[in-house]
Amino acid sequence: MNAPQPLRHALLSNIGVDHGFGQRGLAELAGLRCPRQVHGVAVATAQQCAGQDPPPEADAVVSEQIGVRVAVVTADCLPILLAGDRGRVVAAVHAGWRGLAGGVIGACLAALRERLGKSEGVAAVIGPHIGICCYEVDEPVLGAFEERFSETLPRALRQTRPGHAQLDLGLLAREALRAEGVESDRIGLLEAACTACDAERFFSYRRDGPETGRLVHFIAAGARIAEG
Ligand SMILES: [Zn+2]
């Protein structure tokens, strides 16, 4: 059997950027630029992640360094990889419920757009994360979303027992990307990738507890690959 490979998505492959979402059993990658994730909304650069020890506290990292892989790690939270149409600017985001409610997606898009060419669009792909099937939350978590996601929240919920509901983080992330001006057809989602359901492919904090491993998701800026 072949060794597992990082999971790729056509929206990013078409731009020609090197990228991959993690699954279990991948060979360890060297030279990744990772921020120190704290479930916040700060955005670091690839340079900052390379130049500081420990790296800066941030949950998104943006890069214009060609061929340098920036990365985030997750075990149930949402990984999101983004690239400008020309592939010269990329970003990786770690968004748990705190980051999502706090606006980490908007913060990352702002940092990305500062670096994009005029009228350059963005593609964004949401990677493996805990699905609505396995993600029951309580009122304090739901309350955190009410301000930023008041319109979307009812669609992202499935009521369970009193004071609890299952929550679709992927749907909220999609809506956040749309609200920030990413076109619907440029937002991708890996299919059937619930980290808690699929123990063979993914680590899951909910399923396995704090000792579980972490999935590594990376992307690197690059020139568009010549085709044909
Ligand atoms: Zn599930």
Side-chain angles (χ1 to χ4, degrees), residues 150-163:
S150 56
E151 281 181 32
T152 312
L153 193 58
R155 282 191 287 129
L157 289 181
R158 201 185 284 156
Q159 295 300 331
T160 51
R161 54 206 161 104

Side-chain angles (χ1 to χ4, degrees), residues 129-135 166 193-198:
H129 60 277
I130 192 161
I132 186 171
C133 39
C134 297
Y135 192 53
Q166 287 171 307
C194 171
T195 45
C197 281
D198 193 338

Side-chain angles (χ1 to χ4, degrees), residues 195-207:
T195 45
C197 281
D198 193 338
E200 251 175 62
R201 287 200 298 164
F202 304 122
F203 298 116
S204 169
Y205 189 98
R206 274 249 168 155
R207 188 189 61 229

Side-chain angles (χ1 to χ4, degrees), residues 10-86:
L11 276 177
L12 296 171
S13 298
N14 289 344
I15 293 175
V17 287
D18 172 37
H19 72 282
F21 290 100
Q23 46 180 335
R24 299 179 83 135
L26 294 183
E28 201 167 318
L29 299 164
L32 299 177
R33 306 281 169 84
C34 306
R36 198 148 38 101
Q37 298 174 192
V38 291
H39 294 277
V41 301
V43 184
T45 65
Q47 289 95 324
Q48 289 167 339
C49 293
Q52 295 177 25
D53 187 21
E57 289 186 354
D59 287 270
V61 52
V62 62
S63 175
E64 299 170 275
Q65 294 190 302
I66 304 298
V68 171
R69 287 172 166 178
V70 294
V72 291
V73 300
T74 66
D76 288 341
C77 288
L78 290 146
I80 307 170
L81 301 177
L82 305 101
D85 289 340
R86 293 174 201 163

